[in-house]
Amino acid sequence: MLWFGLHLPFLPLEVFEQRDIRDQGLPAVVTEAQQVFCVNESARAAGIRLGASLATARSLMPELIHHPRNRESESQRMERLVMTAYEFTPYVSVADFDALLLEMEGSLKLFGGVHHVRRRLRSRFRRIGHRVAIGIAHTPRASLAFAKSGDDVTWPDFPERSEIEHIALQQLDATLLDCLDLEPKIRERFANMGMRKVGDIVHVPRHELRKRFGEELTDYVAQLTGERVDPWEAEQPPEAFSERLHLIDPVRGKDEVLEPMEHLAKVLSKWLGKSNLGARRLRWGVYTFEGDGATFEVGFEQPRHEVTDIMAITRLRMETVDLPSEAMTVRLDALRTRHLGLKWIERDVLGQALTQATPSHELLDRLTARLGDSALQRFCILDDHRPEFAWMPKEKADIHDASIAVPELGRRPLWLLEPPMPVRIGHLHIVSGPERIQCGWWDHEQYRDYFVARDRDETWCWCFRDAQGWFVHGYFA
């Protein structure tokens, strides 16, 4: 196996999204229990160290910017980073509040080798505001240790398993013990014994290590080197999408609110793409600072995952909705999604989807968005052989459910006459038939022989014969 350990050393600071601080090089720290928990490079250069009191840090740098640690924001940001990591591999694990594990052996060829994967990971995380250190090894714990050490080792693009293990074990020997996930007391005992590198303990006989430090540390070292299996539970993509965007300044009018809505549509599109889903129904919410506002839903006949398709129908729907004069929050929820078939994700040489929404579905989406759900009446097929009872109006809640396949029962007219119209057999020219329908003994029993015929006007019709005579039941278009 080939594990990529991702360490985000500045995550507690980066969740505050203070881009001006990073750009201007201003010193900043995150504190927990009035002690420095995370520092940026400017604060470290000023002599501020982890674990120092906030008072000490401010005495060294009076203009220091500090934030209390926000665990909730870190957890939410990590959830987004997991979704970003899914772009590279389906096996992603959260190792710590600031670390991820990616199993990349199965995806290596897809991204062009180790070098390209590392470069794309760093670039992808940098674009969303995070600096990441990457370690590579044959075990999860070793990859995390290498990521924390910051040592950049040269790897072949497509290493064999034996080669992966050989390179990783060599790197382990030179890695400092501070990079391992060890208790401070254990690390201090090693330091007092003059053991400061991982190689100093890896080559100690296991029975001696167990005798001096116990079973837990011995198992940890065995998992670090690959002598024992080290299972990690893979994260699962969220089954529902719900995102909100809080704005710094209020937006006024429908034109201004489109920009944050499009941002959320892009986030939705990425989420749909990672799970190979298409949206069938969405709910938008636009709210004021006090929490008041408006919500409206957007539906699609076919699953949609492109931002342009989602926003086109959203704009039409917005024309019929009264939004607040000033908005501070925009929210988007995916109410109904559907898995996309393979054809939905195939593209031509120009990058266009091979399967586009059909004109009829496009028209229905636009009519529904402009006129509302109640403006169009839809029908569904029922499991009944009698023509009068084989269909019914479709309820609004079921509009976007999977369609029922039409049974192959011969030609049927689109509209039926109610009641059937009596006709003389001499006025009809029978073309095909009969098709016998005998059903409904429990309420309205029918015993009919149906025919496709042409009448005196050369109009195609659907007629039947029963005990009462001949009747025309419908006309073909």
Side-chain angles (χ1 to χ4, degrees), residues 187-352:
R187 191 178 292 113
E188 184 178 359
R189 288 180 61 185
F190 281 131
N192 293 336
M193 298 169 64
M195 305 171 74
R196 291 179 171 79
K197 295 185 178 181
V198 178
D200 296 333
I201 64 172
V202 164
H203 298 292
V204 174
R206 295 292 178 263
H207 68 278
E208 292 290 341
L209 201 62
R210 185 179 297 104
K211 181 178 179 180
R212 293 174 178 271
F213 295 94
E215 193 73 33
E216 185 176 352
L217 179 66
T218 306
D219 289 344
Y220 176 85
V221 174
Q223 291 173 341
L224 184 70
T225 59
E227 299 169 26
R228 293 193 60 177
V229 177
D230 186 16
W232 287 79
E233 183 177 356
E235 297 293 319
Q236 298 298 323
E239 297 181 357
F241 177 89
S242 180
E243 285 285 338
R244 65 176 63 200
L245 183 63
H246 299 289
L247 308 176
I248 299 177
D249 298 316
V251 294
R252 299 172 178 84
K254 295 181 179 179
D255 291 337
E256 291 188 10
V257 81
L258 282 173
E259 183 175 351
M261 292 176 76
E262 186 168 352
H263 172 79
L264 289 178
K266 291 179 180 178
V267 177
L268 170 65
S269 179
K270 291 180 180 179
W271 179 81
L272 292 171
K274 292 164 188 171
S275 302
N276 196 28
L277 296 174
R280 296 299 302 273
R281 195 160 192 85
L282 306 174
R283 180 172 60 216
W284 290 96
V286 182
Y287 306 100
T288 64
F289 181 80
E290 291 78 16
D292 303 324
T295 61
F296 61 94
E297 296 184 7
V298 178
F300 307 98
E301 288 295 318
Q302 288 183 337
R304 302 295 185 94
H305 64 286
E306 297 287 351
V307 177
T308 53
D309 296 334
I310 294 171
M311 290 305 300
I313 304 302
T314 296
R315 290 188 183 93
L316 283 176
R317 186 70 178 90
M318 283 177 60
E319 295 180 7
T320 64
V321 178
D322 293 328
L323 300 181
S325 57
E326 289 188 354
M328 288 295 295
T329 302
V330 180
R331 177 170 178 167
L332 176 59
D333 298 284
L335 303 181
R336 191 173 293 116
T337 59
R338 182 186 295 176
H339 191 270
L340 297 178
L342 181 61
K343 290 184 179 180
W344 277 84
I345 58 176
E346 291 180 350
R347 297 180 180 275
D348 60 19
V349 293
L350 299 178
Q352 299 297 320

Side-chain angles (χ1 to χ4, degrees), residues 4-8 84 88 102 114-136 146-147 150-155:
F4 278 54
L6 274 60
H7 181 225
L8 296 97
T84 301
F88 297 85
L102 281 64
V114 171
H115 174 73
H116 290 86
V117 172
R118 281 198 294 193
R119 179 173 52 82
R120 291 183 64 171
L121 277 169
R122 291 192 180 107
S123 175
R124 185 69 181 88
F125 275 69
R126 190 184 306 114
R127 287 202 303 269
I128 57 179
H130 295 280
R131 284 169 284 183
V132 60
I134 301 174
I136 303 173
F146 298 157
D151 296 335
D152 197 2
V153 176
T154 301
W155 281 82

Side-chain angles (χ1 to χ4, degrees), residues 357-371:
T358 61
S360 59
H361 288 143
E362 182 77 23
L363 176 62
L364 289 176
D365 285 345
R366 292 181 176 275
L367 288 174
T368 303
R370 180 65 64 86
L371 304 177

